[in-house]
Amino acid sequence: MINRITKAVIPAAGLGTRFLPATKAMPKEMLPVVDKPAIQYVVEEAVTAGLHDVLMITGRNKNSLENHFDRLPELEALLEAKGDAGRLAKVNASTDLADMHYVRQGDPRGLGHAILRAKMHVGDEPFAVLLGDDIIDPRDPLLGRMLDEQVKRGATIVALLEVDPSQISLYGAAAVEMTDDPDVVRITGLVEKPAVEDAPSNLAIIGRYVLRPEVFGILENTAPGKGNEIQLTDALQTMAVTPEETGGVYGVIFRGRRYDTGDRLDYIKAIVQIAVDRADLGPDLRPWLREFAAGLEDGPVETSPLD
Ligand code: G1P
C-alpha cells in the first residue's frame, strides 16, 4: 500500500547517564554499534520505510549528531586522493541518507515534551516516531507495516512486543482486544511503566510509533506523569479512549529481531548479535566466540580492575 506519510521524528535529547563517563562529552546516540553510530541504524530504518524527512530532537552537547549527517569535505578529499572508494562510500552514506532537520528540546521534560517540539515541523499530518535505543533488524521490517496499518485504519499505531512479565515495568504496557488480524490489536488502555502486579498485559510498547497529529493538542494538555515527565504513553491513553475524535490506537505486534542499545549489558549483546551476522566479521567472530564461551568457567570470577 502506498502511504502518504513522509516525516520521521527521532528524539535524541537524553543525557545518556547509563553510559557515563563515555557520554560525558559525547551523545549516547553516537556510541558505535560495530562501526556505525547507533543513531544511523535508526535513520536508515526510517528512510527504508520511505520517510526521507527526518527531524531530530536534540539538546546541548549533541553537535556531533548534526556533524555525522553532514558533509566532511576534508575527509572526503583525503579518501578520494587515496583512491579509497570503499571508505568514501561509508563516509558519504550518512551524508546522503535523509533530509535532516534539527530542533532542540531545551528543558528535557520527558518524551511527550520532546515530541511536542516537532509540532511546527510536522504540521497537520500523521508522522512516525522512532526512539534511538532500539535497532530493528532490517530482515524483519516493522515500520512499513505500521505505516500501512495507519493508512488502512486511520488510527495511531504503536509497536508492541511480548516481554517476560517481570520486565513490563520498564515499558509502556497495553491493554488490548483482538482484531481479525493476528498481528494487530486494538488498544483499550495504556500505562507507563506499571508495577508488575498492575500491568494490564505483558505487551510492551517498543520505540516505534505512527502518530496522528491530534497528539500535539493532547500532549499540550497532558500533565506530568511517571517521573514527573510529560509522557507520550499518557497522551496515547487519552487517544485510546477517545476513538471518535482521535481515531483510536492500534498495536502491531512485532515478532522479529530487535536489539536494545539502551543499557550497557543490552548494548554489548546488540553488538555481538549484529556482528556475528555480518559478512565481513561473522566468519572470524563466530569461532572465536565459541572458543571464548567454552573457556568461561563456572565458579568465582576474578574481578578485573579494568572497569
Ligand atoms: C519510553 C516510553 C515507554 C516505551 C519505551 C520503549 O521509555 O516512555 O513507554 O515502552 O520508551 O523503549 P524510556 O525507555 O525512554 O524510559
Side-chain angles (χ1 to χ4, degrees):
M1 192 179 288
I2 304 213
N3 69 70
R4 62 198 164 84
I5 301 172
T6 57
K7 291 177 183 163
V9 173
I10 303 183
L15 295 176
T17 46
R18 288 175 188 170
F19 286 90
L20 283 170
T23 48
K24 183 179 173 191
M26 172 181 141
K28 70 166 176 171
E29 294 80 8
M30 287 301 293
L31 289 171
V33 176
V34 188
D35 50 10
K36 266 196 296 198
I39 195 76
Q40 189 176 336
Y41 292 89
V42 179
V43 176
E44 285 171 351
E45 181 190 338
V47 170
T48 302
L51 311 177
H52 295 269
D53 179 331
V54 174
L55 175 71
M56 221 171 258
I57 317 290
T58 69
R60 282 179 290 283
N61 213 357
K62 300 280 182 172
N63 293 342
S64 57
L65 286 176
E66 295 191 35
N67 292 339
H68 184 70
F69 293 100
D70 195 2
R71 292 197 56 198
L72 189 49
E74 304 91 302
L75 181 61
E76 288 167 32
L78 187 86
L79 292 170
E80 223 166 291
K82 277 180 156 180
D84 193 341
R87 291 210 171 83
L88 183 61
K90 285 188 177 179
V91 166
N92 287 338
S94 58
T95 315
D96 301 331
L97 197 52
D99 183 8
M100 301 295 300
H101 306 267
Y102 303 89
V103 62
R104 284 195 181 205
Q105 189 180 0
D107 279 339
R109 289 170 50 207
L111 178 59
H113 180 251
I115 301 300
L116 258 181
R117 302 288 296 128
K119 184 180 172 184
M120 287 292 278
H121 182 84
V122 166
D124 194 24
E125 48 186 277
F127 64 104
V129 171
L130 293 85
L131 304 189
D133 284 349
D134 283 314
I135 295 176
I136 303 291
D137 195 306
R139 292 170 292 183
D140 304 320
L142 168 64
L143 191 56
R145 176 77 207 277
M146 295 172 69
L147 294 168
D148 287 349
E149 287 300 328
Q150 200 290 319
V151 173
K152 182 173 149 195
R153 298 180 190 271
T156 283
I157 311 288
V158 303
L160 295 175
L161 180 77
E162 260 186 70
V163 298
D164 188 88
S166 65
Q167 298 293 301
I168 196 69
S169 53
L170 300 172
Y171 298 94
V176 303
E177 274 173 5
M178 310 287 277
T179 68
D180 49 11
D181 183 331
D183 291 333
V184 180
V185 289
R186 193 176 81 79
I187 294 183
T188 57
L190 286 162
V191 195
E192 178 67 4
K193 303 201 174 95
V196 177
E197 59 276 16
D198 299 333
S201 76
N202 66 334
L203 287 171
I205 305 177
I206 50 172
R208 300 294 179 272
Y209 310 77
V210 184
L211 302 174
R212 282 195 19 169
E214 287 84 351
V215 75
F216 294 122
I218 294 168
L219 279 169
E220 279 163 353
N221 292 302
T222 298
K226 195 100 192 172
N228 203 28
E229 293 185 337
I230 298 175
Q231 296 291 349
L232 178 58
T233 303
D234 293 345
L236 294 175
Q237 156 67 16
T238 303
M239 295 174 94
V241 297
T242 54
E244 295 80 17
E245 297 96 77
T246 63
V249 183
Y250 285 78
V252 170
I253 299 176
F254 182 60
R255 306 183 204 276
R257 286 159 282 198
R258 153 194 179 250
Y259 313 106
D260 186 352
T261 63
D263 72 34
R264 294 174 305 165
L265 184 59
D266 287 331
Y267 172 73
I268 293 165
K269 291 179 189 169
I271 292 174
V272 174
Q273 285 173 295
I274 290 173
V276 292
D277 280 357
R278 273 186 44 165
D280 56 347
L281 297 167
D284 289 335
L285 182 57
R286 279 172 185 267
W288 179 85
L289 260 181
R290 275 191 213 105
E291 205 176 304
F292 179 72
L296 291 177
E297 286 168 25
D298 291 334
V301 176
E302 190 195 349
T303 308
S304 161
L306 274 178
D307 66 0

